[in-house]
Amino acid sequence: MAAAFVLLSMAIAAVCFLPPPVAAQACKSKDVGSNRVFADCSDLPHLSASLHWTYNSTAGALSIGFAAPPAKQGGWVAWAINPTGTGMLGAQTLAAFQEADGKLVVKTYNVSAYTPPLKESKIAFETADLAAEYANGTIWIFGTVMVGKDVKSVNQVWQVGPSVTNGVPDKHETKKDNLDAKGTLTLTQAVSPAPEPVSPAPQPEPSTGEKSAKLEKKSLKEGDVSALIAVIAIAIIIA
């Protein structure tokens, strides 16, 4: 019995001190270094990726910091907005990888076909300040995408790949985690107006019969008190 209790205690302690998953730690701080600070952050559900972002609805500018580990050393990572669908086809993509000279670059791709090779091209959105960084096995993509003013949400797609050949990202794997790497990024949330205070309903005036009943009840109570006083007085006199 004592041995079983010791084993149970050790198991509980082991669970309590397990390190949290990497993805769960990505959004602990909105400061991702390099003097970049973002208003929001989301731990994405696949490929150990996360997205930091700030959306300026007046200017229509979406500033992002996307982070994911490449599938293998020397691989690539990508983040995209799809204005026409929810998957990869039609995705307006930012991809980051290391070139042959060792320099990290960010290139844009309009993914118009599933068949490789992927061709660098302009995308449907204007971009600015594109940059890439590498830290602790993770590639970061930074940049600003002009998505338009007062946009509520966008379809986002993200991906990682194992290798780059002659400056072109090679095909990624087709595992479930790769195929499910997509979703909706909510940029602005509608705020419901506060409900108007409800005034209490006016109480109806009592009818004539109700008034008479109340007066009669009041009279009875007063009569009971008078009778009680009389009884007490008689008792005092007798005593």
Side-chain angles (χ1 to χ4, degrees), residues 69-77 134 137 139 160-164 173 175:
K72 292 182 181 179
Q73 187 174 0
W76 55 270
V77 305
Y134 180 85
I139 295 178
V160 301
S163 58
V164 176
E173 294 182 332
K175 294 179 180 178

Side-chain angles (χ1 to χ4, degrees), residues 209-222:
E210 289 175 342
K211 287 181 179 180
S212 301
K214 287 182 179 179
L215 289 172
E216 185 178 352
K217 188 175 181 181
K218 182 177 179 182
S219 299
L220 287 174
K221 286 184 178 179
E222 290 175 352

